[in-house]
Amino acid sequence: RRIVQIHELREQAAPPVLIMEYVDGFELGRLAPSLEAGQRARIVKEVCEAVQHAHDVGVQHRDLKPSNIMLDAELRPKILDFGLSSGDPARGHFRGTPHYLAPEQLDASQPIDARTDVYALGALLFHLLTGRPPFVSETLPDTLRQVLDDEPVSPRLLNPAVPVDLETICLKCLEKDPRRRYRSASEFAAELGRFLRGESILARPIG
C-alpha cells in the first residue's frame, strides 16, 4: 500500500522501460520544511512499516532518501525506486546515494541486512528534522570518510525545535555498529509510535 506498484517491465525496449503506478504528489524533501515534527515522525513511521513489508519478503531497499519518497494529497508516503534492492548480504556494497549510505555499505567485508535500511531511515528522519543529511562535505571522499568515522551532529544543534525523544530515536538509527541500531524497521516504527502517542520511548540518549 505504501510501495509504488510496478505494472510491467519491457526489457526488450532500448533502453528498457519500467511501467509503474502513477503517484499524484510531491517529493518528501520538497514538502518537509512545511511539516510539523509530529507529521514528519508519522510519515517516517509509515515508511518504516512499508520497508518492513519488503523485508518480510526478503528484499532490502538500500537506497532510501527523501527523493525516493512521494507524498500524496493526504501526506501519505509511497516508496519509489527499488532499483538497488536485494536480499543478498554479500552484494550491493559501494552503491547508493553517499549521504544516506550506512557504514557497512562501504566495507565489502561486512554484510548488508535489514539494519542497513534502518540506518537509511534514520538518515531520512535526520534530513526531515534538520534540512540536511547527517553527513555533508564538499567532496565525495570526505563525505564517505565522515560516514565511516564521524558521529552525526546532534539534530537539536541544527534545529533546536526538534523534540529530545525524536533526536534520541534518530541517533540510535545512525549508530555505526548495526548491533546498536533498532533491529528492524518495525522496531523503529514502534518507537516512533510511542513518541507520537506521548509515551516513554525505549531508547536512551547517546552520550
Side-chain angles (χ1 to χ4, degrees):
R1 192 165 59 94
R2 297 293 169 215
I3 298 174
V4 169
Q5 299 297 306
I6 297 174
H7 299 306
E8 185 180 352
L9 172 60
R10 297 178 181 174
E11 297 183 274
Q12 305 306 317
V17 175
L18 192 65
I19 300 175
M20 303 171 63
E21 170 191 359
Y22 173 72
V23 180
D24 186 9
F26 299 92
E27 287 184 5
L28 175 56
R30 291 180 56 191
L31 289 185
S34 65
L35 303 175
E36 299 176 353
Q39 291 176 307
R40 300 175 200 192
R42 192 266 303 163
I43 289 167
V44 175
K45 176 178 180 292
E46 293 188 8
V47 173
C48 286
E49 292 166 348
V51 168
Q52 183 61 54
H53 177 72
H55 289 177
D56 288 342
V57 296
V59 175
Q60 294 121 37
H61 189 284
R62 302 187 179 184
D63 194 26
L64 292 161
K65 55 187 176 182
S67 61
N68 277 342
I69 311 294
M70 293 286 289
L71 296 179
D72 64 18
E74 297 180 348
L75 300 182
R76 299 294 182 182
K78 287 236 178 186
I79 303 175
L80 310 175
D81 194 359
F82 275 73
L84 296 181
S85 63
S86 175
D88 186 344
R91 298 182 60 185
H93 295 86
F94 308 104
R95 300 181 66 192
T97 305
H99 299 100
Y100 303 92
L101 290 177
E104 62 269 22
Q105 289 177 281
L106 301 175
D107 182 351
S109 70
Q110 300 298 315
I112 296 175
D113 59 25
R115 296 168 299 180
T116 303
D117 275 352
V118 168
Y119 180 98
L121 289 163
L124 172 67
L125 178 59
F126 188 104
H127 195 152
L128 297 189
L129 296 175
T130 68
R132 46 155 279 192
F135 300 107
V136 180
S137 182
E138 294 181 358
T139 67
L140 175 59
D142 197 47
T143 296
L144 298 180
R145 182 200 60 76
Q146 290 178 8
V147 171
L148 287 169
D149 299 331
D150 294 355
E151 296 302 323
V153 176
S154 161
R156 285 170 54 80
L157 287 178
L158 299 173
N159 178 6
V162 173
V164 173
D165 281 354
L166 202 50
E167 173 182 83
T168 299
I169 292 170
C170 181
L171 292 178
K172 181 174 177 65
C173 295
L174 296 175
E175 288 277 12
K176 302 293 187 191
D177 185 346
R179 295 171 297 181
R180 296 178 62 87
R181 301 175 200 152
Y182 295 107
R183 293 173 294 180
S184 66
S186 61
E187 192 173 285
F188 182 13
E191 190 83 299
L192 289 171
R194 294 183 192 96
F195 167 77
L196 290 167
R197 294 190 298 271
E199 300 173 0
S200 297
I201 62 172
L202 300 183
R204 300 276 69 85
I206 297 170

